[in-house]
Amino acid sequence: MKENKLEKIINLAERRGFVFKSYEVYGGLRGFYDFGHLGVILKNNIKNLWLKDILSMQNIYLIETPIIGPRILYEASGHIENFYDRLVECKSCHNRFREDHLLKGEYGEIKIKDNKALCPLCGGELTEARNFNLMFKTFVGPVEELSTESYLRPETAQGIFINFKNILNSMRAKLPFGIAQIGKSFRNEITPKNFIFRIREFEQMEIEFFVRPEEADKYFEFWVEKRFNWYINFLGIKKENLIKHIQTEEELAHYAKAAVDVYYKFPFGEDEIEGIANRTDYDLKRHMEYSKEDLTYFDEKTKNKIIPYVIEPSAGVERIFFAILCDSYDEDEMPNEKGKLEKRIVLRFKPWLAPIQVAIFPLLSNRENLVKKAKEVYELLKNDFRVYYDESGSIGRRYRRQDEIGTPYCITIDFQTLEDNTVTVRDRDTGNQERINLEEINDYLKDKFKL
Ligand code: ATP
């Protein structure tokens, strides 16, 4: 299963409406993906679980800032000067590569000639590496000149830093406190690849956690721990599939003093789904310098003005989404209605994470009384759970369809239901069925969906 697990997951995601390639009718646009019905629900579940965790802390405040920012913002942040990848191009086939990825062998085996790497695709000579800035440029208003030059944000963080004073004053915040934002970011990646892992438009969930400089190391450790636990306890990702990657001096971004990445063991290799960085006072200082605004914090304790340090946990929604798909994808065998073992595909989502939580089936679609009762059950549950009604095909087929999209429970309304008001509840993972009275069904299910 391992060799083509990636293909199987991508295939399932497209076939069942989690993810589609963007602009496919026009031949597609590399690095962009659409999310279908189930995908949008799963994405929202991820974001809500992130919010649930951080908002329970009391000292985290939310913000939403524009995607487009003026040039000066990214001069101040250092992105115009520093946010680039090293790009090489093949002189024969004109394919372009990220030099660091090329040297790591990510595009395939590289041959060396006269001490220089050759094109991994055609063996041609490569150009010297040049800097390629990853930001998308645009202009605000009708005049295209330096003063209207703007950029799509490559991270949501800068909108947070420049709101430091607004949140501080309006929320009467005291250190340590955080400002959090969920939103789209854009990077003109040289080679988008691995399905939705490296894309050009993606969503980030970021927290800038402001602390006293002397407490930065302590809170850095706190956030590394907290974020790892979130993946395990809130998303149910298997601990053994997560890796703590400590960034080396060379890997650190221009603003960071220390960084730990959360790596997930994807079928194509282990790679980053979140980075936790100590950004020091770099960003606030730079924005003070460029904006001439006072972004200091008055410390009541010492009666001094200080510039806080920042600890930043920054996670990508699509990479987490992908990690969840990989972590929950499974193939096993289940007996069909005749008791014969049949292969099936199943997504073992945690119950609270599943896009559809309860599927409701009348045993037979041509029996009016069963259909009527099943629709009543749908009405009974629809406000408390994400439910789905299905009457088409055999019960076995309906189970398989739900297994494939990770629905943890299927309820069947049969002839006994009409007599004693009980239904069967079938568990996705074990295939076991329990008979539950409809008077108790809400409480029974609520218990199953507890985080
Ligand atoms: P990489 O080294 O893989 O390019 P990065 O270290 O530049 O990633 P960060 O700047 O730390 O990434 O961004 C924080 C998070 O945003 C990442 O952990 C990831 O989840 C997400 N992210 C960054 N770039 C992309 C991308 N091109 N596609 C999807 N998600 C991304």
Side-chain angles (χ1 to χ4, degrees):
M1 182 165 118
K2 211 167 182 185
E3 299 83 318
N4 55 7
K5 184 173 171 186
L6 190 60
E7 269 167 46
K8 288 179 175 177
I9 291 168
I10 296 172
N11 189 305
L12 173 67
E14 291 185 348
R15 184 161 44 82
R16 296 307 311 272
F18 284 91
V19 181
F20 307 111
K21 290 190 193 83
S22 296
Y23 311 108
E24 215 174 0
V25 294
Y26 291 109
L29 187 59
R30 274 189 78 194
F32 295 89
Y33 282 88
D34 297 340
F35 286 79
H37 181 70
L38 299 176
V40 175
I41 300 176
L42 182 58
K43 261 184 126 183
N44 278 308
N45 291 348
I46 296 167
K47 291 185 267 185
N48 286 333
L49 286 165
W50 183 82
L51 286 172
K52 191 181 173 87
D53 189 31
I54 62 164
L55 290 181
S56 69
M57 286 177 68
Q58 290 281 319
N59 58 349
I60 305 249
Y61 308 100
L62 296 178
I63 196 146
E64 205 172 290
T65 68
I67 281 166
I68 294 179
R71 181 183 166 93
I72 187 155
L73 180 75
Y74 294 107
E75 279 174 7
S77 69
H79 282 88
I80 293 201
E81 198 186 336
N82 297 308
F83 195 60
Y84 56 75
D85 281 335
R86 302 278 290 162
L87 172 127
V88 292
E89 186 176 331
C90 174
K91 290 180 186 169
S92 306
C93 70
H94 298 290
N95 273 297
R96 291 171 172 194
F97 309 97
R98 234 175 97 165
E99 189 187 36
D100 57 336
H101 287 178
L102 178 96
L103 298 177
K104 272 200 254 163
E106 288 192 18
Y107 301 100
E109 207 184 314
I110 41 165
K111 293 189 187 71
I112 308 281
K113 191 179 160 195
D114 300 335
N115 267 338
K116 281 187 174 170
L118 297 175
C119 173
L121 303 182
C122 77
E125 213 179 300
L126 298 170
T127 59
E128 289 297 318
R130 65 177 171 91
N131 291 345
F132 175 75
N133 196 296
L134 297 179
M135 286 195 294
F136 285 97
K137 188 172 24 176
T138 185
F139 296 89
V140 174
V143 185
E144 294 195 5
E145 58 181 27
L146 198 63
S147 69
T148 60
E149 194 177 296
S150 306
Y151 292 86
L152 302 199
R153 65 186 177 196
E155 57 176 20
T156 74
Q158 299 309 321
I160 296 182
F161 292 123
I162 55 171
N163 272 289
F164 172 70
K165 266 279 152 89
N166 285 338
I167 295 291
L168 183 71
N169 296 336
S170 61
M171 303 312 290
R172 300 155 51 86
K174 297 262 180 295
L175 290 183
F177 74 92
I179 306 178
Q181 167 153 241
I182 300 180
K184 292 257 188 173
S185 292
F186 301 80
R187 296 183 188 180
N188 198 2
E189 298 280 357
I190 296 171
T191 40
K193 60 179 171 171
N194 291 328
F195 189 42
I196 52 171
F197 181 83
R198 185 170 303 286
I199 45 185
R200 288 174 166 144
E201 173 173 344
F202 52 95
E203 258 186 301
Q204 289 186 309
M205 306 187 290
E206 297 197 296
I207 307 163
E208 307 305 324
F209 197 74
F210 300 93
V211 300
R212 289 190 171 77
E214 64 276 17
E215 291 186 324
D217 292 342
K218 180 176 94 180
Y219 281 107
F220 179 68
E221 294 304 322
F222 166 84
W223 277 105
V224 169
E225 178 86 8
K226 185 168 173 65
R227 294 302 303 144
F228 265 87
N229 287 339
W230 182 76
Y231 286 96
I232 296 160
N233 301 330
F234 283 69
L235 302 186
I237 291 200
K238 297 180 195 89
K239 208 175 170 178
E240 64 269 23
N241 288 337
L242 294 172
I243 297 169
K244 209 175 270 187
H245 172 83
I246 300 166
Q247 283 196 11
T248 59
E249 205 58 41
E250 294 86 67
E251 286 176 300
L252 283 178
H254 62 272
Y255 47 73
K257 182 182 154 204
V260 165
D261 292 335
V262 182
Y263 271 34
Y264 179 77
K265 290 185 190 165
F266 287 100
F268 58 83
E270 52 199 49
D271 218 327
E272 175 185 333
I273 52 177
E274 171 161 355
I276 299 124
N278 175 352
R279 290 181 80 127
T280 69
D281 54 5
Y282 173 85
D283 301 273
L284 287 178
K285 262 193 178 152
R286 293 276 294 199
H287 287 303
M288 278 174 64
E289 189 186 329
Y290 279 73
S291 70
K292 312 279 183 268
E293 289 286 320
D294 177 14
L295 298 176
T296 56
Y297 175 87
F298 181 71
D299 193 341
E300 301 278 353
K301 268 197 217 154
T302 60
K303 307 285 176 215
N304 281 332
K305 277 182 169 184
I306 59 168
I307 304 176
Y309 266 40
V310 175
I311 309 302
E312 176 198 68
S314 168
V317 180
E318 290 80 2
R319 287 190 185 178
I320 296 172
F321 181 109
F322 192 11
I324 291 171
L325 284 185
C326 296
D327 219 60
S328 45
Y329 183 92
D330 199 8
E331 290 172 7
D332 65 2
E333 291 187 327
M334 272 266 155
N336 65 13
E337 287 138 312
K338 291 176 190 136
K340 194 170 156 246
L341 279 183
E342 253 182 12
K343 278 213 165 78
R344 69 162 182 168
I345 294 173
V346 53
L347 288 179
R348 300 192 191 278
F349 291 141
K350 286 288 168 215
W352 55 86
L353 198 58
I356 292 175
Q357 296 180 304
V358 186
I360 299 163
F361 311 146
L363 181 65
L364 300 168
S365 61
N366 55 1
R367 296 299 169 94
E368 214 177 290
N369 45 3
L370 291 181
V371 169
K372 184 167 169 269
K373 189 71 183 173
K375 287 189 174 163
E376 277 171 32
V377 175
Y378 179 89
E379 289 300 316
L380 181 73
L381 298 177
K382 72 173 188 194
N383 291 335
D384 290 327
F385 307 98
R386 292 184 292 276
V387 290
Y388 180 77
Y389 173 85
D390 186 10
E391 58 175 39
S392 74
S394 71
I395 282 287
R397 280 191 159 208
R398 284 181 257 170
Y399 283 156
R400 295 299 172 273
R401 284 205 290 265
Q402 295 304 319
D403 290 343
E404 243 189 9
I405 59 168
T407 307
Y409 298 99
C410 293
I411 293 183
T412 303
I413 288 81
D414 55 18
F415 292 106
Q416 195 178 325
T417 312
L418 304 177
E419 282 165 23
D420 65 4
N421 210 33
T422 65
V423 290
T424 64
V425 181
R426 181 239 191 208
D427 180 297
R428 174 195 68 204
D429 293 332
T430 60
N432 291 343
Q433 299 189 18
E434 264 189 272
R435 278 208 92 86
I436 306 290
N437 195 297
L438 279 175
E439 287 189 353
E440 290 152 22
I441 194 82
N442 274 59
D443 289 343
Y444 172 88
L445 289 172
K446 266 189 192 141
D447 198 47
K448 301 273 187 199
F449 289 110
K450 259 198 214 131
L451 187 67

